[in-house]
Amino acid sequence: CLEKSKNKPNPHPLNSAIGRVARTPIVACSLAGLIWNIALGRNSVPGSIQFALETLGDGFTPVALFFTGLSLVGKVAKLTPGRLLLPMTLAISKSLLLATILYLGVGLAGGDASDRGFAFVYGAIPTAPSVLVYA
């Protein structure tokens, strides 16, 4: 029993972590895009296809962050609406409540309409992606 465990080298935790991160959608697609640009040049995609690809690419980041969090934390099969409720509620309430609180706070502090508008937009900025991934 002990001899078998000595023959199998245990992977270093750092190597294991780097391997998992390299397989995430954001890293994999970023590397694929970099290789594409180096190999074929920046303007190698025809204009008619480029519009469609840009439209699909705009929706890539939120979905990639969501699935990156799932790949780091758990399995997609274990995903239930109840498990999504808390992180989504926290993210939505942060965007709405913080924006409203900042708007009212700047108004009470004597800020003009421009200052209140900036405070509202600043408070409505979504939570950092890493916070949502770890939530």
Side-chain angles (χ1 to χ4, degrees):
C1 242
L2 292 176
E3 289 178 20
K4 288 183 183 179
S5 65
K6 288 181 183 178
N7 292 338
K8 284 186 177 180
N10 289 334
H12 194 271
L14 183 61
N15 292 341
S16 176
I18 290 172
R20 284 194 319 249
V21 168
R23 287 189 300 259
T24 61
I26 292 176
V27 175
C29 288
S30 296
L31 288 175
L34 183 65
I35 292 169
W36 177 278
N37 279 335
I38 290 172
L40 301 174
R42 252 182 118 68
N43 297 322
S44 62
V45 178
S48 58
I49 297 174
Q50 185 170 356
F51 177 74
L53 290 176
E54 285 177 358
T55 304
L56 290 173
D58 290 342
F60 170 75
T61 302
V63 173
L65 289 171
F66 182 75
F67 281 110
T68 299
L70 286 178
S71 68
L72 293 175
V73 175
K75 303 289 182 196
V76 177
K78 294 180 182 178
L79 185 63
T80 61
R83 290 182 184 216
L84 282 176
L85 186 62
L86 180 62
M88 293 303 286
T89 303
L90 289 173
I92 291 170
S93 64
K94 181 265 175 205
S95 293
L96 295 176
L97 290 176
L98 183 61
T100 305
I101 290 169
L102 286 176
Y103 181 83
L104 295 174
V106 170
L108 290 174
D112 61 355
S114 176
D115 293 337
R116 288 190 307 248
F118 174 77
F120 185 82
V121 170
Y122 186 76
I125 293 173
T127 307
S130 59
V131 175
L132 290 177
V133 168
Y134 291 117

